[in-house]
Amino acid sequence: MPGGRPPTPTERKRRTGNPGKRALPEPVVQLAAVASIPAPPATLADKGVAVWDRLWTAGQAWLSPATDLDLLTRLCEAHDEREALRDAIAEEGYMVTGSMGQRRANPLLSELRSLESQMTKYESLCGFTPTDRARLGYAEVKRASKLDELLSKRQARAQ
């Protein structure tokens, strides 16, 4: 993993006037959208299926069933595993008694944090963070000005 600071999202560079003066990508590139959401794998539990539907819906403009299916499957399976770990921690408690009678943090907590870290990497690879969407040239946050809001309200009333 390369060291250093993560790249500044493109939308932030545009808001601050592009202080580095490097060429910025075009705001939005249209990619062919997924025609339909692929069926979820049988390995997924309820939480994983819900995440599967949500992520494929949110990322259907840039995700490909041909190339991203395995990665999305691992991410959704990790959501199922995370839910199981959280349930186990809730049942056992955050502090557990060791073999010598001492109280210590539940070892499942470190497993949970490790899993969540891996999930963040999967999400990043799939383009579900602001920085990664900017790298894709797909999404950029643009705050609507007061004038834009008034014009959109006027157009809505006219229709």
Side-chain angles (χ1 to χ4, degrees), residues 21-156:
K21 303 300 181 208
R22 292 188 180 138
L24 297 178
E26 291 298 317
V28 177
V29 174
Q30 294 292 333
L31 301 173
V34 174
S36 63
I37 297 173
T43 57
L44 298 180
D46 292 341
K47 178 71 172 182
V49 170
V51 172
W52 177 271
D53 291 338
R54 181 174 52 84
L55 293 180
W56 276 104
T57 300
Q60 71 186 88
W62 68 83
L63 292 175
S64 166
T67 58
D68 301 325
L69 199 65
D70 294 332
L71 187 56
L72 259 290
T73 299
R74 286 193 296 272
L75 177 57
C76 294
E77 287 171 345
H79 274 276
D80 283 336
E81 189 176 335
R82 179 179 182 268
E83 184 176 42
L85 279 171
R86 289 178 54 86
D87 289 345
I89 291 167
E91 186 176 307
E92 295 176 16
Y94 285 92
M95 299 298 288
V96 294
T97 304
S99 59
M100 306 284 275
Q102 75 280 11
R103 300 280 293 159
R104 59 185 174 89
N106 191 329
L108 293 177
L109 287 170
S110 64
E111 285 186 44
L112 178 64
R113 298 302 169 237
S114 177
L115 176 65
E116 288 173 337
S117 175
Q118 186 62 51
M119 290 169 66
T120 301
K121 290 175 187 171
Y122 290 155
E123 290 164 347
S124 181
L125 289 171
C126 293
F128 288 113
T129 66
T131 301
D132 293 304
R133 283 192 304 275
R135 280 186 185 153
L136 290 172
Y138 178 71
E140 202 170 318
V141 177
K142 180 184 174 195
R143 184 182 173 131
S145 69
K146 205 61 164 163
L147 179 60
D148 291 337
E149 289 177 23
L150 291 171
L151 288 173
S152 65
K153 286 180 184 179
R154 184 178 185 185
Q155 287 175 348

